[in-house]
Amino acid sequence: MSDAACLEVQGITKRFGGLIANEDVSFTVNQGEILSIIGPNGAGKSTLFNCITGFYRPNAGRIFFRGKDITQYSAHKICKLGVARTFQVVQVISDMTVLENVMTGTYLRTYNRRDVREKAEEILRFTGLYEKRDTLGPDLTIADKKRLEVSMALGTQPTLLMLDEAMAGLTPVELREMMALIRKIRENGVTLIIVEHVMEAVMELSDRVVVINSGRKIVEGVPAEIVRNPEVIQAYLGDRYHA
Ligand SMILES: Nc1ncnc2c1ncn2[C@@H]1O[C@H](COP(=O)(O)OP(=O)(O)OP(=O)(O)O)[C@@H](O)[C@H]1O
Ligand SMILES: [Mg+2]
């Protein structure tokens, strides 16, 4: 694999009984890039995230993170290596404050409570949630919950951050804010994989796009190529986006 590869996914297949959620999916994510994964509902995008992050064990294929074969690693071990992710269904812990939620992530790196707290506060300043650090999870708006999820993932201090629909359900203003945050994360040297249906964000943020349909990768390329690809338009884009 090349020196620039952050993640290499080779021939991943994941079955649930007779259902093939991922079939022989391969792609590479370069260091420092933003790669988007798009495709219809049920295409297998979240399953792929779960395979990469050790929440599911693929039936076939291999996953390399910075040259290391992590296919058999536990979710915890993969996170410790520097891969963090958010969940499509927000996983904020409801009886904890914003700050405490982020601290659950920062404990991965240190057990010193003061260091953990300082790191979590630094992250909240970075993500713009510091003013709300004492708010309880359920009292947040959707946009702030999404921001908190990103903050919790950043708490583990990843070099690869994977966002599963971090921009769903946001107003246009909130969407711009989330896009700005994602750019800022990348500027800090973090590589990103984003699964997203909000095409405006995919088009503006992505260096490259991988398109999944019925579990299989149908094409990959730069955004401008992807939106003109007849197969992608037929399988997914339709009236969703016009180049
Ligand atoms: N734990 C599971 N057990 C059984 N089937 C599953 C499981 N997780 C996902 N699937 C199935 O695998 C297929 C892919 O689902 P997945 O959630 O990966 O799609 P997705 O691309 O993320 O869709 P969406 O855009 O709606 O989030 C679907 O048919 C889904 O029902
Ligand atoms: Mg999904």
Side-chain angles (χ1 to χ4, degrees):
M1 69 187 263
S2 78
D3 288 345
C6 169
L7 187 82
E8 198 157 323
V9 172
Q10 292 180 353
I12 288 298
T13 294
K14 177 64 188 172
R15 295 186 209 96
F16 298 107
L19 185 134
I20 305 178
N22 292 148
E23 190 176 1
D24 197 21
V25 176
S26 301
F27 61 90
T28 299
V29 188
N30 300 317
Q31 206 78 47
E33 81 173 335
I34 300 179
L35 180 107
S36 290
I37 301 176
I38 64 170
N41 293 119
K45 306 178 297 295
S46 295
T47 302
L48 203 47
F49 261 35
N50 284 323
C51 288
I52 294 168
T53 52
F55 286 83
Y56 292 159
R57 185 87 4 122
N59 297 94
R62 294 173 95 189
I63 299 157
F64 295 86
F65 175 61
R66 299 173 118 190
K68 190 187 279 273
D69 186 343
I70 60 166
T71 320
Q72 302 300 323
Y73 280 26
S74 67
H76 179 80
K77 203 166 169 191
I78 291 170
C79 191
K80 192 118 195 175
L81 276 180
V83 182
R85 54 90 57 95
T86 64
F87 292 83
Q88 187 168 349
V89 180
V90 176
Q91 299 286 314
V92 166
I93 303 165
S94 46
D95 58 355
M96 285 190 189
T97 65
V98 164
L99 181 66
E100 287 164 345
N101 266 286
V102 179
M103 285 170 70
T104 61
T106 43
Y107 270 113
L108 184 76
R109 302 282 167 211
T110 172
Y111 288 118
N112 180 309
R113 193 174 160 85
R114 209 187 59 191
D115 292 348
V116 163
R117 193 188 171 96
E118 272 172 17
K119 187 70 202 173
E121 286 176 349
E122 179 192 320
I123 287 162
L124 289 173
R125 282 192 202 94
F126 178 83
T127 59
L129 266 185
Y130 186 74
E131 300 303 317
K132 296 184 179 151
R133 64 193 177 283
D134 296 325
T135 305
L136 286 173
D139 298 338
L140 296 171
T141 62
I142 302 263
D144 283 341
K145 277 186 187 150
K146 297 266 182 193
R147 199 171 278 264
L148 175 53
E149 272 251 298
V150 174
S151 308
M152 289 164 71
L154 288 176
T156 66
Q157 297 166 55
T159 51
L160 172 62
L161 176 61
M162 301 172 52
L163 305 177
D164 197 349
E165 300 202 23
M167 287 169 276
L170 303 185
T171 66
V173 172
E174 292 164 349
L175 177 63
R176 303 312 303 180
E177 287 170 354
M178 185 54 93
M179 287 169 68
L181 176 59
I182 290 169
R183 286 202 180 93
K184 208 162 80 159
I185 293 168
R186 190 251 284 270
E187 280 160 20
N188 272 20
V190 176
T191 304
L192 285 116
I193 308 179
I194 60 182
V195 161
E196 199 47 72
H197 286 293
V198 181
M199 280 308 293
E200 181 192 347
V202 170
M203 287 301 294
E204 277 191 45
L205 289 173
S206 317
D207 296 303
R208 289 184 307 123
V209 180
V210 166
V211 187
I212 308 269
N213 188 32
S214 303
R216 298 188 70 94
K217 182 176 94 173
I218 55 174
V219 61
E220 72 172 78
V222 298
E225 289 166 5
I226 292 299
V227 291
R228 287 184 179 80
N229 183 301
E231 209 181 339
V232 178
I233 292 169
Q234 202 208 348
Y236 179 58
L237 289 179
D239 290 329
R240 192 183 277 274
Y241 191 89
H242 294 283

